Amino acid sequence: MFRIFALAGLAPLVLAAAGPPADPPAAFGVRERVLDISMSPGGSKIAFITPGPGQSTVLFTVDAAGGKAPQRAVAADGRPERLTECGWVSEQRLICTLYFVLENLVPNQPLAGSRLIALNADGTDAKLLSRRVSANDLYLAVGGGEVIDWLPGSDGKVLIGRSYVPESQIGTRFEEKRKGYAVDRIDTVSLRSDMVEQPDDHAGEYISDGLGNVRIKATFDIAGATGYASGKYNYFYRTKGSRDWKPLSNYNVNSQEGFWPVAVDPQLDVAYGFRKGPGGRQVLVSVALDGSKRETVVFAHPQVDVDSTVRIGRARRVVGATYATEYRHATFFDKGLDSLGRSLSKALPGLPLVTFVDSSEDESKLLLWAGSDTDPGRYYVFDKKTKTLNEIMLSRPELENVQLAEMKPVTYKASDGTQVPAYLTLPPGSGGKGLPAIVMPHGGPSARDEWGFDWLAQFFASRGYAVLQPNYRGSSGYGDSWYRKNGFQSWRSAIGDVSDAGRWLVGQGIADPAKLAIVGWSYGGYAALQANVVDPGLFKAAVAIAPVTDLSTMIQDSVYWTNHRIVRNFIGTGPHLKEGSPAENAGRIAAPVLLFHGDRDMNVGIRQSRIMVDRLKGAGRSAELVVYPNLDHSLDDGAARTDMLRKTDSFLRQALKL
C-alpha cells in the first residue's frame, strides 16, 4: 500500500495557485522549478538546482525524510556561469557542472565551455576538479571534463575524464607535454589524483562498467590534414582483467550506421548500445565483451525507434529501454522494477509518465518524476522497505490547480496521401471549431514531439488557440523512410507536411482560415519561415524563435569548428541551399514575421535572424527582430521567456485581427 504526502521541508517550493493565472505569459514563461535533482548514496539527502533571476541558478540540499527547510549550498549568477547538474559523490559531498557561454571569440560564434567543481552539501570547501587553465597552454580546452564513474563504495572519490593541454615554457623542465583526453581518479576532498587512462589525442569518450573499470574507448577520425572530424567513430573494448584495447565497432554520425555503445553491464559482461534494425529503426543490442563480440538484439519495436536506456543506481546499471509511439513507454529487463512500475501506475493513475531519476546506492530508495499532458510533473521519493511514496516538490508550482489543455494524438493526410502523426491541443472548454490556430513544428530536425506537458502549446491554448504539432517527414524516431535525408536536404517533404498540417486544421473546421498562424523554435522557426515561402497565403502570421534562415551561412559559420565536415554533410550541397533557404526567398513571404534570438546562441548564430530581417525589410515585408542580450539557444531566463510570450501574443492578436 502506498502513502502519498508532501515533505514539509520542501513546502516553500510548492506554492499552489488558487485559480487560472492572472498573468499567463508570466505563469507559463517562468522556468521549471527543478532543473536537476539527485539523491545521495545513502538516500538521506536530495540535491536540486532551481532557477534564480535571469539565468542564475541555485543549488539546494534537503533531508529526504523532511522536517527541515532546504539549505542553500551555492549559486551561479549566470554571467556567464550557471549550474547545470549536480551529483553526490558521498553522503556529504557533491560534484557540479558549471556551464558558461562567452562572447564571440570566433567570428559569428559564441564559445561554450564547462568546469567541474566539488563542494560540501552546505556549500563549503568548494574545489575545482577540472584541469586549471595555464597561461602557457598551447590552446584553450573549453570542456571541463565529465564524470566517467561514481565509484560506488569509494567515499569521496570519482573517475573523471579530463583534457590535457601541452604547454610551452622556456627555461624549465616542468612544462606539461601530455596531450589528449584522459581518465583520472580524483579524491574530491584532497584533490589527490591518479591517472587511470593516459591522454589520447583522438579519444572522445570513455565508458566504465560502473565499478571503476574503463572498458570502452571511442576515438574520432580526422579527415586528412584538414583538422576536421569526419563523423566516423571507432570504438575499442577490453576483456575483463586486460589492459589491451581490441576493436569493437565503428559508428558514422552522418549515416547513423554501425554499433553505438552507451553502457557496460559487468555482470553480463556486455556492452549495451544501439544500431539500425529492420526499416532503419533503431534497436537496442548487447555485444559480448568476452572476446567473441557476440551480438544480441535486446529490444526492438516494429514501428518506432528504441531511443534510450533506463539506468539506475550509483553504478548506472541498465534496467530497461524506452520508446515513443503516440505515448512514451518503458520496458524493463529487471523484474522487480517492472513490477514496481506497474504498481506505481496504479498508485498514480493520473500521471502515466513515470521516470526513475536516481536512487540510493543500494537502490532501496528511489527518486521518481511523474507527469502528464495536463500535469507539468512532480517528484517523489519511494522507499522500498516501508512501501511509502512521498511527493516532495512540483515541477511548475505556478500552474498547480490551473486548468490545462489536453493533448490528443492525431494523424492527418498529407497532400501525397501519407498519414502524418501529430498532437492536437485545444483550449480548455473549447468546442474545437472555428478557432484561431497555430501549427507548431518541432526543432531538430532530428527530433520528434511527444505526448506530455508543453509550456508553449499550453500557453497558446490558454489564450484560445488550437495548436497542432506535426511529426513531419524528416523527424527522427520513425526509421529511415520517415527521416529521409533529414529536414534540410529533404525540406520539400518536411515543409510540405508542415503546410498540410495547417490545411488539415482548416479542412476539419478547427481553424478559421483567416486566423491561422505558424510558430517554431530552431528548425521549427526555419519551417515557419520556409512554409511561408512555399505557401504565401496559407499562414497569416509567422513567429520564428532562433531560426535557421540561410543554409549556406550555416555551413560557413561552422568552418572554425572541428565539426565543419559533419555540418556540411548534414546540410548537403546543391540547389536546395538556395531554394530551401527562407532568407534567399524572403520576397515570397507575404505574412508579417516576428523573430526572437539570443545573441549568444551556440546552436544557431544570431546572424541567421539578422540576415532574415534585413532581407524581409529589403523586400518591403513586415518584420521585427527581438534580441535578448547574453542568452543562448534555449533563452534560459524566465523574464525573457515571459517577454517573448507577451510580445508573441500581442503580435498574433494584431496580425490575426483577434
Side-chain angles (χ1 to χ4, degrees):
M1 181 176 180
F2 294 100
R3 290 189 291 119
I4 304 177
F5 56 93
L7 278 178
L10 296 185
L13 294 178
V14 184
L15 306 174
D23 186 358
F28 288 98
V30 67
R31 288 193 285 167
E32 250 184 283
R33 187 61 58 95
V34 181
L35 302 177
D36 183 74
I37 189 167
S38 61
M39 175 177 278
S40 65
S44 68
K45 295 180 183 295
I46 300 290
F48 61 95
I49 300 172
T50 192
Q55 290 190 99
S56 66
T57 45
V58 186
L59 171 67
F60 284 92
T61 60
V62 66
D63 289 344
K68 295 181 180 180
Q71 183 177 20
R72 186 178 187 271
V74 69
D77 64 10
R79 298 175 293 183
E81 296 90 359
R82 66 193 100 148
L83 293 159
T84 57
E85 56 185 355
C86 291
W88 296 87
V89 70
S90 72
E91 204 63 19
Q92 297 297 330
R93 199 156 174 80
L94 298 111
I95 293 176
C96 295
T97 299
L98 283 171
Y99 174 80
F100 55 85
V101 179
L102 301 175
E103 292 184 18
N104 298 357
L105 302 180
V106 174
N108 303 308
Q109 288 286 333
L111 185 67
S114 65
R115 294 293 181 266
L116 294 180
I117 61 170
L119 69 160
N120 291 333
D122 61 2
T124 60
D125 196 24
K127 293 179 178 178
L128 179 69
L129 299 183
S130 301
R131 178 187 174 276
R132 292 186 179 276
V133 175
S134 166
N136 299 308
D137 286 355
L138 291 179
Y139 55 85
L140 176 64
V142 293
E146 60 182 339
V147 175
I148 304 296
D149 195 310
W150 291 96
L151 297 180
S154 181
D155 195 39
K157 297 181 179 65
V158 70
L159 292 189
I160 287 181
R162 294 201 289 191
S163 293
Y164 279 78
V165 179
E167 298 175 339
S168 177
Q169 298 185 54
I170 298 175
T172 176
R173 293 184 295 174
F174 299 103
E175 63 184 13
E176 176 64 73
K177 294 184 178 180
R178 293 171 295 185
K179 179 183 180 182
Y181 195 46
V183 179
D184 293 341
R185 183 189 302 269
I186 300 177
D187 185 311
T188 63
V189 177
S190 69
L191 294 187
R192 178 178 174 178
S193 175
D194 300 305
M195 187 170 286
V196 174
E197 300 293 335
Q198 292 294 320
D200 184 333
D201 196 23
H202 287 277
E205 182 184 13
Y206 294 96
I207 301 175
S208 80
D209 61 1
L211 302 176
N213 305 301
V214 178
R215 298 290 302 276
I216 294 176
K217 176 174 74 171
T219 63
F220 53 89
D221 281 343
I222 298 297
T226 65
Y228 293 131
S230 68
K232 299 177 182 178
Y233 289 83
N234 307 304
Y235 287 92
F236 302 87
Y237 77 103
R238 287 177 172 139
T239 55
K240 279 187 177 180
S242 172
R243 294 291 298 173
D244 297 329
W245 290 114
K246 301 177 182 294
L248 177 63
S249 64
N250 305 111
Y251 183 75
N252 189 319
V253 299
N254 300 307
S255 63
Q256 299 176 10
E257 297 287 348
F259 172 64
W260 165 36
V262 296
V264 171
D265 186 315
Q267 278 70 46
L268 298 178
D269 197 21
V270 299
Y272 286 109
F274 300 97
R275 74 157 61 249
K276 286 183 181 180
R281 288 180 291 273
Q282 188 168 270
V283 301
L284 179 67
V285 302
S286 67
V287 175
L289 301 181
D290 59 1
S292 69
K293 295 200 295 184
R294 182 178 62 258
E295 185 170 311
T296 305
V297 175
V298 179
F299 184 73
H301 192 276
Q303 297 172 314
V304 296
D305 289 350
V306 180
D307 52 24
S308 64
T309 57
V310 181
R311 305 179 70 173
I312 198 170
R314 304 289 295 168
R316 308 298 299 147
R317 70 184 183 98
V318 175
V319 295
T322 70
Y323 59 95
T325 51
E326 289 183 336
Y327 306 92
R328 179 152 291 277
H329 305 272
T331 182
F332 291 99
F333 318 138
D334 183 286
K335 293 182 179 180
L337 285 174
D338 185 50
S339 176
L340 175 59
R342 290 196 298 269
S343 297
L344 288 170
S345 296
K346 294 177 182 178
L348 304 168
L351 303 171
L353 300 176
V354 179
T355 301
F356 293 99
V357 178
D358 203 356
S359 76
S360 59
E361 189 164 310
D362 64 3
E363 300 180 17
S364 65
K365 294 180 180 179
L366 302 174
L367 179 62
L368 313 172
W369 175 91
S372 72
D373 57 340
T374 57
D375 191 315
R378 46 198 74 220
Y379 290 88
Y380 299 87
V381 171
F382 176 69
D383 191 317
K384 289 183 180 179
K385 295 177 182 177
T386 60
K387 290 185 168 56
T388 54
L389 183 67
N390 304 338
E391 182 180 308
I392 60 172
M393 65 182 77
L394 303 178
S395 293
R396 291 180 177 267
E398 296 82 2
L399 298 178
E400 183 75 344
N401 296 337
V402 172
Q403 184 181 10
L404 299 176
E406 293 183 2
M407 176 186 278
K408 179 184 177 182
V410 297
T411 58
Y412 64 90
K413 186 179 290 188
S415 57
D416 64 357
T418 300
Q419 292 292 328
V420 180
Y423 295 96
L424 176 65
T425 304
L426 297 176
S430 164
K433 296 296 180 181
L435 299 170
I438 293 170
V439 173
M440 196 166 75
H442 62 74
S446 303
R448 58 158 291 175
D449 273 318
E450 293 186 26
W451 184 86
F453 176 82
D454 184 305
W455 64 277
L456 277 175
Q458 289 290 343
F459 168 74
F460 291 125
S462 78
R463 303 301 291 154
Y465 296 92
V467 181
L468 186 64
Q469 297 170 264
N471 279 326
Y472 48 83
R473 279 169 285 186
S475 303
S476 61
Y478 298 93
D480 284 349
S481 62
W482 196 261
Y483 182 71
R484 303 207 162 188
K485 291 183 179 179
N486 74 55
F488 288 124
Q489 296 192 49
S490 301
W491 71 268
R492 292 188 186 277
S493 59
I495 302 305
D497 288 351
V498 170
S499 295
D500 287 336
R503 294 189 185 93
W504 181 82
L505 284 170
V506 172
Q508 294 293 307
I510 298 170
D512 180 335
K515 298 174 182 178
L516 180 64
I518 185 166
V519 178
W521 200 316
S522 194
Y523 180 89
Y526 163 85
L529 297 169
Q530 188 65 7
N532 276 278
V533 169
V534 176
D535 296 284
L538 179 62
F539 298 103
K540 305 306 185 283
V543 178
I545 308 160
V548 175
T549 69
D550 189 272
L551 301 182
S552 293
T553 299
M554 280 289 289
I555 296 173
Q556 292 166 11
D557 285 348
S558 70
V559 73
Y560 297 100
W561 305 97
T562 57
N563 69 342
H564 170 63
R565 279 176 59 100
I566 298 173
V567 172
R568 187 188 66 191
N569 290 337
F570 184 78
I571 295 176
T573 58
H576 74 281
L577 293 183
K578 183 177 178 66
E579 298 167 355
S581 292
E584 293 283 352
N585 302 279
R588 297 195 60 190
I589 296 177
V593 175
L594 177 61
L595 302 102
F596 298 93
H597 220 124
D599 68 358
R600 292 192 181 180
D601 193 326
M602 281 290 300
N603 298 64
V604 180
I606 192 173
R607 184 156 76 127
Q608 293 281 326
S609 282
R610 287 177 170 150
I611 289 172
M612 190 72 215
V613 76
D614 287 347
R615 300 277 178 85
L616 285 167
K617 288 182 175 180
R621 302 297 187 256
S622 173
E624 179 187 357
L625 170 61
V626 178
V627 177
Y628 293 113
N630 304 318
L631 295 189
D632 57 17
H633 196 63
S634 298
L635 301 181
D636 287 326
D637 180 329
R641 289 185 175 185
T642 298
D643 179 74
M644 181 185 71
L645 294 181
R646 203 179 305 283
K647 283 184 167 65
T648 298
D649 188 38
S650 176
F651 167 77
L652 291 176
R653 291 186 180 280
Q654 181 178 359
L656 304 180
K657 299 179 174 59
L658 300 180

